[in-house]
């Protein structure tokens, strides 16, 4: 009788992947919708929500590190962040919602505290761009940190499409928080190391 081999690959992986993609899509669409809703509320209230932006080096302002990441200074601002947040967030969330939540929380804290420490006096910083840069940094290095070839390829693809955003960490525009971009990027890279996972197990081969 001839030899044959089978793999121990879980045949439910396709279904699981589809469910993850659906969940990640719903999450990110809901997140972006929330940003637009908050901006609408801000406009209708005479920009009352802008007070939740980060004013540097005031102790009381540390409580605004989280809400500042969900607020924007106008429709153009929220529009500029929506597509990259949707795309990068979706890709990152495919790796699991718990890990994604931990990564985003790390980015928000590092980006926000970095802004609080280094932004110019008498400024107010808000916006999701710190998260965008954080997710960019996370996806760029995740595959190398986890030693997963597929994630390395994803990171290369992300670099091709969104790599030009990295210029945003330079102080080229006085009206843009390069500090938020820089510390967001650093937060994403740090999160890749904080929440690294071992390489996936190889398929088990059984020969008969």
């Amino acid at each position: 009788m001839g030899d044959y081999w089978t793999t121990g690959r879980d045949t439910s992986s396709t279904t699981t992947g589809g469910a993850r993609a659906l969940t990640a899509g719903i999450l990110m669409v809901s997140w972006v919708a929330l940003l637009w809703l908050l901006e609408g509320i801000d406009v209708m209230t005479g920009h009352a929500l802008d007070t939740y932006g980060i004013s540097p080096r005031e102790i009381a302002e540390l409580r605004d590190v989280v809400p500042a990441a969900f607020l924007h200074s106008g429709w153009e601002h929220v529009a500029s962040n929506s597509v990259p947040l949707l795309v990068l967030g979706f890709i990152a969330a495919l790796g699991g919602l718990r890990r994604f939540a931990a990564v985003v929380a790390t980015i928000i804290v590092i980006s926000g505290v970095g802004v609080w420490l280094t932004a110019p006096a008498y400024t107010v910083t808000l916006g999701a761009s710190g998260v965008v840069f954080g997710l960019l940094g996370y996806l760029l290095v995740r595959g190398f940190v986890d030693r997963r070839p597929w994630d390395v390829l994803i990171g290369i693809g992300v670099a091709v499409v969104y790599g030009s955003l990295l210029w945003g960490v330079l102080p080229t525009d006085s009206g843009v928080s390069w500090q938020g971009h820089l510390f967001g990027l650093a937060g994403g890279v740090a999160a890749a190391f904080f929440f690294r996972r071992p390489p996936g197990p190889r398929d088990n081969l059984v020969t008969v």
Side-chain angles (χ1 to χ4, degrees):
M1 180 181 292
D3 290 346
Y4 68 94
W5 63 271
T6 61
T7 70
R9 183 180 289 113
D10 185 357
T11 57
S12 67
S13 60
T14 301
T15 301
T16 302
R20 281 192 173 188
L22 178 61
T23 302
I26 292 173
L27 172 64
M28 294 313 303
V29 169
S30 300
W31 186 348
V32 171
L34 174 62
L35 299 185
W36 284 83
L37 174 62
L38 289 173
E39 183 56 29
I41 294 173
D42 187 45
V43 170
M44 289 188 293
T45 58
H47 301 286
L49 297 184
D50 289 352
T51 59
Y52 294 97
I54 301 170
S55 295
R57 295 170 296 282
E58 296 180 18
I59 297 298
E61 289 294 307
L62 285 172
R63 65 188 177 190
D64 291 334
V65 162
V66 174
F70 295 86
L71 302 172
H72 292 82
S73 60
W75 296 114
E76 184 178 353
H77 188 197
V78 69
S80 67
N81 283 329
S82 292
V83 174
L85 178 63
L86 184 64
V87 175
L88 298 176
F90 173 77
I91 296 172
L94 290 175
L97 294 189
R98 289 185 180 180
R99 191 185 193 198
F100 178 70
V103 167
V104 170
T106 300
I107 292 169
I108 288 175
V109 170
I110 292 179
S111 176
V113 172
V115 167
W116 184 83
L117 288 170
T118 64
Y122 310 111
T123 60
V124 176
T125 302
L126 39 73
S129 57
V131 177
V132 170
F133 275 77
L135 292 173
L136 174 62
Y138 171 72
L139 292 173
L140 288 178
V141 305
R142 177 186 62 176
F144 297 99
V145 174
D146 291 347
R147 298 184 180 181
R148 292 175 176 250
W150 177 245
D151 286 340
V152 171
L153 292 177
I154 291 175
I156 293 172
V158 167
V160 170
V161 177
Y162 286 108
S164 61
L165 288 179
L166 293 174
W167 292 108
V169 303
L170 300 177
T172 56
D173 189 336
S174 60
V176 176
S177 175
W178 62 269
Q179 297 92 343
H181 297 172
L182 177 61
F183 284 99
L185 184 70
V189 173
F193 285 92
F194 291 160
F195 307 108
R196 65 189 305 173
R197 59 174 52 151
R202 297 178 61 185
D203 291 339
N204 298 317
L205 300 182
V206 180
T207 61
V208 178

